[in-house]
Amino acid sequence: MMQIAVRGVYLGVLFALASATHAQSGRLVVFVVVDQLRYQDLLWAKDQFGEEGFGRLGQPLQARYRAALTHTAPDHATLSTGAYPDVHGIVGNTLVEEGKPTEAIDDPACENWRGTRHQGPGKLLVPTVGDALKLASLGRARSLAVAFKDRGALFLAGPGTDLALFWDYDAGELTSSRCYASGPPGWLTDLQRKNPVSEWKDHVWALSRPEEVYARLAERESASVDAYGFGGRFPHRVGRELGKSLFTALRASPPSTTIVLRAAEAGVSGMRLGDRGETDLLLISLSGLDYVGHAYGTASRERLDMVLRMHDGISQFVSRLRERLGDRVAFVLTADHGATPSAQTVAAAHLRGMKLNLVALETTVSAELDKQFGQKGKWVDFIDDGLLTLHRMSGVDPVRAAQVAAAALANVPGMWRAVAASDMPAQDAVLRRSYYPGRSGDVMFVQRPLFTVAGADIASHGSPWNEDSLVPVLFATPGFRLRPPLVGGILDPIQIAPTLALLLGIAPPSAAFAEPFVVGEGAR
């Protein structure tokens, strides 16, 4: 009996050691998307990041989107699937279904936790890298997506991710869809109890660096729509009474980064990502820079301070994960798009550019359609993000109406291309990659370089020009290095999903045909 007992203890010790060794073999791949971060931003502020670079992730490579319309929903989907909208189907933040505009995240099968909205990735037509990980590991690997924007989380995640978290503007907390879980996991409930939204009710946003930094790198006076009631000058009072006004203001201020990174780190602990003998995936989208850029412009002190504060927050986050996992954690960071400088910023450089107003464009189209077909009523059902949808009028050929509308837009000064859906097959690849039949409306339109198309926004994006499409890629991937032929070149964002798959040790997702941009250290 003594021998059996001793043998049992010995086997138990061996089992514990084996389990510990297995757990140590786990890895975590972290993918961060900074909404609206331009390659130029990291060149401008380079001296503020230190020797380790932005977020302690090294020096940036260049990547350029090879599609016409650069927006949050389609480009997050491009990054996660390795395909462009002509394949994954997310053509804009809003797309057309059965002739009517609908939000890309509108998913009748996915009610959020409070039952107030339907938000899900159901319109995504191909798998994400998170979906591929679940399929390849037979469900053993875990993945988590965290973002402030619902479309950022949902289109990074795809349907197979364990959990996709995004901000609830009515409740002032992170939420998700019942397609992922019936309610918040314990670790998230604990996090939000310890860090309630009330901690920001008195928050004041002050500059994080000495005045000389902003005097050198940013405009002294930037245009502002003051969409959040912050006022035009620092310091900005973000805090106010608890309610939707505060919950919305947080998105365009530094707390949005804190909230997302705090939840991502809690998720790593709560889900034991990278600690279970599997290779897991963490997906993060930081959207504060995009909201600030739209409201204040690309050269504003507000936007520069957001870049600097994001660097600080990401650096701390990266350091803590490295302390936890050592060389078992790999990081890739990029952006979904950039932004074109405001008309004021462009004019100050003595360059030609202007803002094309959406209301004026709609008026131009309606006037030409009235001229061609007679007054029929309201012609335009939707115009935004480079897409136009016309109302179907009795006795009017919709194909001909779309061609007339496209010609009217094409004649607007500052417009580069305006193409009716029927004429899309004959267009350049950059236009066709942003087009999906039945989802792109009747007309696609793209402005010229340094022109923006927007409503009240000071700065905007949506074009194939470098201001909007050229983004940084940073990576810190132990055991992997940049593929030698790519040194000094420009990456394609569709290479990121295959790269994440390589780091995860799986085959790329179904529609990701590009090569990864890294290779194992031992490869030639």
Side-chain angles (χ1 to χ4, degrees):
M1 293 292 292
M2 179 68 73
Q3 289 179 332
I4 293 173
V6 170
R7 186 168 181 268
V9 171
Y10 176 69
L11 290 174
V13 170
L14 286 180
F15 178 77
L17 288 173
S19 298
T21 301
H22 182 62
Q24 285 298 309
S25 69
R27 291 177 56 83
L28 177 61
V29 175
V30 181
F31 180 43
V32 181
V33 180
V34 180
D35 202 322
Q36 206 192 97
L37 183 67
R38 306 179 304 165
Y39 179 69
Q40 179 63 51
D41 294 328
L42 300 194
L43 301 183
W44 265 342
K46 182 178 180 179
D47 65 339
Q48 296 298 307
F49 304 142
E51 293 183 358
E52 294 182 280
F54 183 78
R56 297 192 66 195
L57 295 176
Q59 301 307 315
L61 305 174
Q62 299 179 63
R64 181 185 295 116
Y65 287 91
R66 272 78 164 178
L69 305 180
T70 43
H71 294 289
T72 298
D75 292 344
H76 275 74
T78 291
L79 292 169
S80 66
T81 65
Y84 279 113
D86 62 330
V87 175
H88 64 60
I90 307 301
V91 297
N93 298 331
T94 300
L95 47 83
V96 178
E97 287 189 331
E98 298 180 357
K100 300 297 181 183
T102 180
E103 285 192 69
I105 52 85
D106 185 33
D107 190 342
C110 294
E111 186 178 61
N112 68 18
W113 284 340
R114 294 196 311 119
T116 57
R117 288 194 64 190
H118 291 86
Q119 296 159 285
K123 292 183 173 63
L124 194 61
L125 300 180
V126 297
T128 66
V129 68
D131 299 332
L133 178 63
K134 275 294 179 184
L135 191 61
S137 68
L138 301 180
R140 292 187 298 270
R142 293 176 180 171
S143 55
L144 168 67
V146 188
F148 217 84
K149 289 183 181 180
D150 49 10
R151 53 186 176 266
L154 294 167
F155 293 131
L156 280 187
T161 293
D162 289 280
L163 185 62
L165 295 172
F166 44 89
W167 190 246
D168 186 328
Y169 288 96
D170 295 314
E173 63 185 14
L174 291 169
T175 189
S176 188
S177 158
R178 299 184 195 279
C179 287
Y180 297 103
S182 59
W187 62 263
L188 179 61
T189 300
D190 291 343
L191 174 71
Q192 300 197 137
R193 183 174 59 248
K194 293 175 183 175
N195 300 279
V197 69
S198 59
E199 71 176 296
W200 305 112
K201 68 183 181 63
D202 298 315
H203 181 69
V204 175
W205 177 11
L207 293 172
S208 63
R209 301 296 196 275
E211 165 61 23
E212 54 264 28
V213 173
Y214 304 92
R216 179 169 58 88
L217 297 175
E219 295 170 335
R220 181 172 296 278
E221 292 286 343
S222 298
S224 168
V225 295
D226 196 20
Y228 304 97
F230 293 169
R233 293 174 178 270
F234 277 100
H236 295 309
R237 182 171 179 81
V238 176
R240 58 200 75 184
E241 292 298 318
L242 292 181
K244 192 168 184 177
S245 179
L246 170 62
F247 306 156
T248 301
L250 291 174
R251 73 185 188 180
S253 58
S256 64
T257 301
T258 303
I259 290 166
V260 170
L261 291 180
R262 187 186 278 164
E265 193 166 354
V268 170
S269 298
M271 296 174 67
R272 295 184 59 212
L273 299 182
D275 274 337
R276 303 168 302 100
E278 302 291 341
T279 299
D280 298 323
L281 177 63
L282 175 62
L283 304 158
I284 299 170
S285 179
L286 303 174
S287 58
L289 188 66
D290 186 61
Y291 289 116
V292 170
H294 283 299
Y296 290 93
T298 59
S300 64
R301 292 174 174 231
E302 287 80 4
R303 192 174 180 281
L304 173 60
D305 196 62
M306 280 294 291
V307 170
L308 297 175
R309 287 179 177 273
M310 283 183 165
H311 160 71
D312 296 342
I314 294 169
S315 296
Q316 295 166 12
F317 175 76
V318 166
S319 296
R320 287 193 291 267
L321 282 190
R322 283 173 172 163
E323 289 174 7
R324 180 187 182 98
L325 296 170
D327 64 0
R328 295 187 294 117
V329 60
F331 297 91
V332 177
L333 181 148
T334 192
D336 55 347
H337 54 73
T340 294
S342 68
Q344 172 183 307
T345 302
V346 172
H350 306 291
L351 298 173
R352 183 171 180 264
M354 63 180 292
K355 183 170 75 172
L356 305 179
N357 185 273
L358 287 169
V359 174
L361 294 180
E362 179 177 346
T363 300
T364 297
V365 168
S366 298
E368 187 60 29
L369 290 168
D370 282 343
K371 180 180 177 181
Q372 293 288 331
F373 301 104
Q375 293 187 359
K376 302 285 186 179
K378 183 174 173 59
W379 284 99
V380 178
D381 279 341
F382 174 77
I383 179 169
D384 201 5
D385 292 351
L387 302 178
L388 179 142
T389 300
L390 296 174
H391 192 73
R392 296 305 185 251
M393 299 292 190
S394 176
V396 175
D397 177 10
V399 173
R400 176 60 185 150
Q403 291 171 338
V404 170
L409 286 174
N411 286 327
V412 172
M415 196 65 71
W416 177 61
R417 292 283 191 277
V419 181
S422 60
D423 297 326
M424 189 59 67
Q427 301 304 309
D428 297 338
V430 69
L431 289 166
R432 288 187 280 108
R433 290 190 189 107
S434 282
Y435 176 79
Y436 195 92
R439 289 189 168 193
S440 294
D442 296 303
V443 178
M444 178 191 295
F445 57 94
V446 183
Q447 66 271 27
R448 292 185 179 278
L450 298 183
F451 285 69
T452 60
V453 178
D457 292 342
I458 296 299
S460 195
H461 49 81
S463 78
W465 314 120
N466 281 343
E467 289 76 21
D468 293 351
S469 68
L470 192 67
V471 298
V473 174
L474 301 95
F475 65 101
T477 53
F480 295 86
R481 59 188 171 88
L482 182 66
R483 191 179 291 274
L486 298 177
V487 174
I490 298 180
L491 305 180
D492 190 320
I494 63 173
Q495 293 178 274
I496 286 181
T499 297
L500 296 175
L502 180 62
L503 298 174
L504 291 164
I506 63 171
S510 299
F513 294 165
E515 292 185 345
F517 65 78
V518 299
V519 66
E521 292 284 8
R524 294 187 176 182

